[in-house]
Amino acid sequence: MVSYRKRGNAWQYEISYKDRDGRYRKLRKSGFLLKSEAILAASKIQTEHPNLTTVKSGNESIVSYYKRWIKVYKQNAVTPITYNKYENTAKHAAELFGNLKLKDLTKFIYQERLNQFAKSHARRTVSCFHKQLRACLLEALDEKIITTDPTRKAVITGTERPKIARALNYADWIKLLLNLDTTQIGEMIIYLAAVTGMRYGEIVGLTINDINLEMHTLNVDKAWDYKYKTGFMKTKTPSSVREITVDSHTVSKLKNFIKIHSLSTNQPLFMDSKGHVLVSAEINKILTNKLNILKIPRITFHGLRHTHASILLYKGVSVLSVSRRLGHSNITTTQSTYLHIIKELESQDQDKIISILENTSK
């Protein structure tokens, strides 16, 4: 039921309705110069919000609604790691939108804040943020809390990361290995990555029990969740479970490292005395500083894996063996990742074939 009355020089509408608990409520708004304006506004409210409780819901902040949404729809439906990503989005949303209400969010405001976020984040991060927040706002649209989609046709941008070399050449690889202090946790991690091609989570997931010093092998059957700190977890794929052979120099360095550091058999090999395992940003910083000191082109930590694989291929190790050492799910993954190297080696092989055939006619 709608009623109108004049208050001073302005008109007001009053809509009576029942809330979700069956109790009568009143929705009022005044400030209209003409009665016709009040009638039009009330009609619009009733059209857009047949269930008038959603009008009140529009007063909830975007961040508050998002937090409730992830708790109801995501907490028990996704992995703890994925849920942590949703929680990170909530933190970013709080910084960008503050106490802005759902009903006050427009396409312009959304794009403006998204652009602000993009100034200090990579395009991929911005895209993930937008995807998660948009899913929540579409739910608000379905509930008729908002009447239009403020995220529609949003433009995704982001900062361009400086180009970094994919891998080290053989000379720089050797130079790095010879100048690492493998008694230090960070530099020993870097050394292992360079000589095994293991993923970071696999390396920091190693325990003393995974190291067979007599057989010169490392057993990879788990990883460590260094990012979200949930402890040991499964390897990236079932094929990532493998045994990696290492050389005598690596065995010697591991023996020395274990001797220096007091370690229990079931804790990660590279966990410090305070129970902390370096996160990716920390190990990349250590690696970058080391490369700067040695005047070697900068690569990421993952670039050590590419370096290891590239050197093995250039030195004549078969693609199949490299694939198994890296823990790829199939040889096709290795071939596609290192196609440029394989093509270069094939070209060299063609020269060898011609040379062999020509020598047979002499």
Side-chain angles (χ1 to χ4, degrees):
M1 179 179 175
V2 188
S3 61
Y4 306 93
R5 64 173 172 168
K6 197 169 187 180
R7 297 175 62 87
N9 294 321
W11 282 88
Q12 171 187 282
Y13 69 71
E14 180 180 280
I15 307 174
S16 298
Y17 68 97
K18 284 185 179 181
D19 64 16
R20 289 190 175 97
D21 297 322
R23 290 175 293 188
Y24 279 99
R25 301 289 184 184
K26 293 183 184 295
L27 178 67
R28 301 185 184 94
K29 188 172 182 180
S30 59
F32 301 99
L33 295 178
L34 302 173
K35 183 179 181 180
S36 59
E37 291 177 349
I39 293 172
L40 184 63
S43 177
K44 183 179 179 184
I45 284 290
Q46 289 177 303
T47 301
E48 293 178 348
H49 300 274
N51 178 359
L52 287 173
T53 57
T54 60
V55 177
K56 294 293 185 182
S57 299
N59 288 316
E60 185 175 9
S61 74
I62 298 164
V63 177
S64 172
Y65 183 80
Y66 176 81
K67 287 180 177 178
R68 288 199 302 113
W69 178 76
I70 63 172
K71 190 172 183 180
V72 172
Y73 287 97
K74 300 299 176 182
Q75 192 167 34
N76 298 317
V78 298
T79 65
I81 291 176
T82 301
Y83 189 70
N84 191 278
K85 292 179 181 178
Y86 280 98
E87 290 184 313
N88 283 338
T89 293
K91 293 176 185 176
H92 292 313
E95 294 170 1
L96 291 169
F97 296 101
N99 293 319
L100 185 69
K101 296 176 181 178
L102 283 165
K103 68 177 185 178
D104 296 328
L105 181 62
T106 63
K107 285 185 67 176
F108 185 85
I109 292 174
Y110 184 81
Q111 186 66 61
E112 187 179 51
R113 305 297 163 85
L114 202 62
N115 292 346
Q116 183 182 330
F117 186 64
K119 288 180 181 178
S120 56
H121 293 84
R123 193 177 190 281
R124 182 178 177 182
T125 304
V126 178
S127 178
C128 180
F129 171 79
H130 164 68
K131 180 181 177 182
Q132 293 183 345
L133 194 56
R134 183 170 193 264
C136 166
L137 291 171
L138 288 177
E139 196 69 43
L141 182 65
D142 284 347
E143 287 193 277
K144 299 189 183 301
I145 295 172
I146 55 177
T147 57
T148 59
D149 176 13
T151 68
R152 183 172 175 269
K153 294 186 177 180
V155 179
I156 308 300
T157 58
T159 56
E160 289 292 333
R161 294 179 180 178
K163 289 186 178 181
I164 301 173
R166 182 179 171 84
L168 300 177
N169 61 36
Y170 183 75
D172 286 336
W173 178 69
I174 293 293
K175 186 177 181 181
L176 176 63
L177 292 179
L178 293 176
N179 286 279
L180 287 169
D181 180 1
T182 51
T183 63
Q184 301 299 313
I185 290 177
E187 298 197 25
M188 185 63 196
I189 290 173
I190 291 169
Y191 181 88
L192 274 184
V195 298
T196 66
M198 291 170 66
R199 301 177 180 92
Y200 186 62
E202 294 171 346
I203 293 176
V204 293
L206 289 172
T207 66
I208 291 177
N209 290 334
D210 296 317
I211 302 170
N212 190 325
L213 297 173
E214 292 183 4
M215 299 300 294
H216 291 204
T217 58
L218 302 178
N219 180 51
V220 181
D221 61 4
K222 61 188 173 306
W224 181 262
D225 179 18
Y226 58 89
K227 190 171 184 180
Y228 300 110
K229 302 177 177 61
T230 60
F232 289 110
M233 61 183 188
K234 292 181 180 179
T235 54
K236 186 176 181 181
T237 62
S239 58
S240 297
V241 176
R242 63 201 187 279
E243 193 174 76
I244 298 176
T245 304
V246 293
D247 61 287
S248 57
H249 296 296
T250 301
V251 169
S252 177
K253 289 178 183 297
L254 283 168
K255 278 183 181 178
N256 191 43
F257 183 87
I258 293 169
K259 183 179 178 182
I260 292 172
H261 297 268
S262 299
L263 301 165
S264 64
T265 56
N266 59 351
Q267 78 174 64
L269 188 67
F270 299 110
M271 178 180 282
D272 66 20
S273 58
K274 296 179 181 178
H276 175 66
V277 174
L278 295 172
V279 297
S280 57
E282 291 172 316
I283 195 65
N284 271 301
K285 185 176 180 181
I286 294 170
L287 175 60
T288 298
N289 289 339
K290 196 70 181 181
L291 294 174
N292 285 339
I293 291 169
L294 298 174
K295 296 185 172 149
I296 295 174
R298 184 190 169 202
I299 61 167
T300 63
F301 184 86
H302 195 71
L304 295 171
R305 178 172 165 86
H306 290 311
T307 299
H308 183 73
S310 300
I311 288 171
L312 293 184
L313 290 170
Y314 275 125
K315 290 295 182 179
V317 178
S318 72
V319 177
L320 179 60
S321 294
V322 172
S323 181
R324 287 175 175 170
R325 189 171 178 86
L326 294 180
H328 282 164
S329 55
N330 55 65
I331 195 171
T332 305
T333 303
T334 315
Q335 289 172 326
S336 60
T337 305
Y338 301 101
L339 183 62
H340 61 294
I341 296 173
I342 294 169
K343 283 186 175 181
E344 186 177 333
L345 293 173
E346 283 179 351
S347 179
Q348 293 176 11
D349 286 343
Q350 292 301 321
D351 293 338
K352 289 178 184 177
I353 292 169
I354 296 301
S355 177
I356 291 169
L357 293 174
E358 286 181 345
N359 286 333
T360 59
S361 60
K362 291 181 180 179

